[in-house]
Amino acid sequence: MTQVEAQRLVELAKRRGFFLQSAGAYGGISGFYTYGPQGAALKRNVEDTWRDRFAIQEGHMEVDAPTVLPEPVFEASGHLDGFDDMLVECPECSESHRADHIIEDDPDTGIEEAESLAPERVEEVIAEYELVCPTCGTGLAGQAIEQFNLMFETNIGPGSSSPGYLRPETAQGIFIEFPQLAEYARNQLPFGVTQIGRAYRNEISPRKSLLRVREFSQAELELFVDPEEDEPDLSSVADVSARFYPATAQDCEGGGVIETTIAEAVDHGIVADPWIAYYLGVAAEWYDRIGLDMDRFRFRQHRPGELAHYSEDCWDAEGDVSDPGEDPDWIELGGFAYRADYDLSKHDSHSEEEFTIFKQYDDPVTVETPTVDPDMSYLGPEFGGAAGDVAAALETLAADDPDAFEGEEVTVEVDDESYTVPVEQTGFAVEEVTESGEHVTPHVVEPSLGIDRALYTALDHSYREDEVDGEQRTYLSLPPEVAPTTVGVFPLMDKDGLGERARELAQDLRATGLAVTYDDSGAIGRRYRRQDEVGTPYCVTVDYDTLEDGTVTIRDRDSTTQRRVAIETLGATIEALVEGEQAFEDI
Ligand code: GAP
């Protein structure tokens, strides 16, 4: 999409009620958007399809956690220390900018991903290419790069004794409830927990309308798996085809995007983890379902320096929001991360609860367990204040290297000092213990999709301009399932009973669950154009023949062709069209 077309889309979005910058009456608030009536309906439909595909069809749970969480949660998760962007302040106008974006936006640098560069290198690149402040054009060479934490801080309750943060990802609300959620799942792995909700990031420079904002919606699935045993059944997505851009291809000259199926991507080792591959397949189907042009869509693997602090491997879903024919402008729509046991281990060690699953063995196993029971009446007088640490060191040594207790004496190191203890004073013994299972920390596979970016890209990819009856027309070719309104109902004119009949028909269609709008203002052509602009796939007109023979015309948005349909079959026909069970040409 060119700048001009992007601007047209944003104007259409405001004029027709999709989205607008919030608080315009107070000068506007950067990075915050309000969804209008069309946008709120579109967003709800997009979220419903996500819920259907990622939660209901997969048999996963859904939760709804708070958006504010206390500081210890983010100490444990690593967000307090590691969730930073690089900030550079202009010495002239004092505007703050994301230093990595300034580098990426200058084609001379040839750097497409600057987020993974060290701050010192960012300073060097800014100086080397004489990069300037995007606001006032002043040179930024020599300006210090600061690490800026993206979380919004608040106080929970009066005073400042209990700091809290607006969640920067919905995921933490799921992880911290893991012990209880595991109970709901009857402690059986694998199980998945989904959540759709708001997340907050105090972005240094929000930009590109909905694409980088400070409050946005995420749809996340945290899938808890046993890394030793669980494997996905790939059969349902094996034939899903997509474009893959592996890390190795990004780093080598001539490396390119590989178009292949999920099954082949796994077989050829393009996507190493089968769980990630499975959800790439599910997501490709979902992005297609909500109206993305899959020729302008790809999965790109993170290069090692790009990985988030919690992630072992990650693929992004990316959509191109440039005008076809121009250089692609890829934006990240979603991340598919293998978080391993990072989050559960952190919350396990920072909290009072256990973040593990007790895995029952098929048959109990007997294991030999080396133990010590040191004689403190010997260690105390012998080693004084170090006696307790020596006892602990003996316990560790028994577990790690029981053979060390085979001689007369055993030696342990405490604070760089060696302590030698007669084995008979250590109480060393090997006990036989029968165990029925073990505690394991599940690994996490996380598809995390941004709703606002998906919605914006669906609008971008469905934006069309053409000519109808010699007149310029703009329309949104949104899939009927997600379009804010499914049917527009018009009387040819609001007289001779046509208006009453059309209102009655609109009401009857609403009663079947369809999203219907009624419009009797202006010429019929204008009413079609209004519905085309908000992506309404079907318009139904009540005319004089309706009063005679009980039929109406139904018009298809994209082709503008019309058919005559009996009112009794209209609801069923529209339903079949929306479900994709019938083609408009076959009516
Ligand atoms: N729990 C993992 C996580 O939060 P992420 O890649 O940081 O991963 C996931 O975010 C998705 O959230 C992104 O792919 C993007 O679609 C969306 N997102 C992140 N920051 C955003 C922002 N400032 N504005 C709009 N969407 C954003």
Side-chain angles (χ1 to χ4, degrees), residues 519-570:
D519 187 0
D520 60 16
S521 77
I524 198 95
R526 286 212 162 278
R527 286 182 252 164
Y528 282 141
R529 297 294 169 274
R530 279 202 285 270
Q531 292 309 313
D532 288 343
E533 268 199 325
V534 295
T536 305
Y538 308 110
C539 287
V540 168
T541 304
V542 169
D543 55 22
Y544 287 101
D545 288 345
T546 312
L547 304 183
E548 297 285 311
D549 62 8
T551 63
V552 288
T553 58
I554 177 167
R555 171 189 179 268
D556 176 56
R557 174 197 60 207
D558 293 3
S559 63
T560 73
T561 52
Q562 302 190 13
R563 294 280 191 275
R564 246 194 126 88
V565 179
I567 285 181
E568 304 90 76
T569 58
L570 182 66

Side-chain angles (χ1 to χ4, degrees), residues 169 201 203 213 218 220 310 332-334 446 448 450 453:
E169 57 171 1
R201 295 184 190 176
E203 296 286 351
V213 283
Q218 289 185 320
E220 300 200 298
Y310 49 72
E332 177 197 326
L333 302 171
E446 180 197 62
S448 166
R453 289 186 184 178

Side-chain angles (χ1 to χ4, degrees), residues 121-183:
R121 178 70 193 128
V122 167
E123 278 183 33
E124 277 169 22
V125 176
I126 287 179
E128 194 178 324
Y129 291 92
E130 298 175 353
L131 301 182
V132 298
C133 167
T135 309
C136 71
T138 302
L140 295 171
Q143 286 302 105
I145 304 297
E146 262 180 61
Q147 294 288 1
F148 176 76
N149 192 289
L150 296 185
M151 285 199 295
F152 283 99
E153 191 176 0
T154 184
N155 288 307
I156 300 174
S160 56
S161 60
S162 179
Y165 294 86
L166 296 186
R167 62 184 181 192
E169 57 171 1
T170 63
Q172 294 306 324
I174 295 177
F175 295 137
I176 57 172
E177 307 308 344
F178 176 81
Q180 192 58 48
L181 293 167
E183 289 283 317

Side-chain angles (χ1 to χ4, degrees), residues 464-483:
R464 310 262 187 284
E465 290 175 348
D466 66 359
E467 211 182 274
V468 175
D469 301 331
E471 246 187 63
Q472 204 57 28
R473 157 176 100 131
T474 300
Y475 69 103
L476 297 176
S477 181
L478 289 168
E481 190 184 11
V482 297

